[in-house]
Amino acid sequence: MGSQCSACDYENPLGANFCMSCGRSLERQTGERNTESLEPTVDSPAVSDPLVEGPQGMFVVRQGQNRGSRIALDLDRVTIGRHPESDIFLDDITVSRRHAEVHRTATGFVVTDAGSLNGTYVNRELVEHAALVDGDEVQVGKFKLVYVALGAEE
């Protein structure tokens, strides 16, 4: 027997974290094995590291789990998704397993949708790809990430 959603009464499969009908977080039940949500991590060199070549930036989680967290964009290609091996792991049913990618270019960062079901938005506009500017809001599922350009000359 699975987990019944307290909001919509949908019967979800055993071990589900979120309701497959309404997307709400499911409560843990005794004896039920459930996976833990992982926080976005920044295990690579500090964003201000002078050895990181090219433009530097980060995301600040504005809405979603771990609100206020900072995520360094310190790789040339950063993957975003619900797949546990994503560079930015967002554990929510509204996020596709391989949702989007952020690429470093000579002038900054570009976000590209990776064929996600719910789309990727920049400043509330659906995009396939878009160059990021300081302060842009990137929405991936229920998560809103604010892009912060670092080390930019004024």
Side-chain angles (χ1 to χ4, degrees), residues 28-62:
R28 291 179 183 257
Q29 299 191 1
T30 310
E32 190 174 305
R33 188 170 168 242
N34 220 342
T35 58
E36 293 290 324
S37 295
L38 298 177
E39 293 185 27
T41 58
V42 184
D43 292 334
S44 39
V47 174
S48 60
D49 188 339
L51 299 177
V52 175
E53 294 187 28
Q56 298 176 20
M58 71 175 172
F59 282 130
V60 177
V61 180
R62 184 170 150 226

Side-chain angles (χ1 to χ4, degrees), residues 57-77:
M58 71 175 172
F59 282 130
V60 177
V61 180
R62 184 170 150 226
Q63 181 175 315
Q65 291 173 315
N66 306 311
R67 193 168 91 180
S69 296
R70 293 180 177 101
I71 305 165
L73 298 174
D74 53 1
L75 302 171
D76 290 334
R77 176 180 164 261

Side-chain angles (χ1 to χ4, degrees), residues 60-110:
V60 177
V61 180
R62 184 170 150 226
Q63 181 175 315
Q65 291 173 315
N66 306 311
R67 193 168 91 180
S69 296
R70 293 180 177 101
I71 305 165
L73 298 174
D74 53 1
L75 302 171
D76 290 334
R77 176 180 164 261
V78 176
T79 59
I80 303 172
R82 192 167 32 98
H83 192 282
E85 292 179 9
S86 297
D87 297 315
I88 300 175
F89 173 63
L90 304 175
D91 189 15
D92 187 87
I93 197 165
T94 61
V95 178
S96 295
R97 284 179 180 82
R98 299 188 194 315
H99 199 104
E101 293 182 354
V102 178
H103 296 270
R104 184 192 320 262
T105 68
T107 57
F109 291 89
V110 175

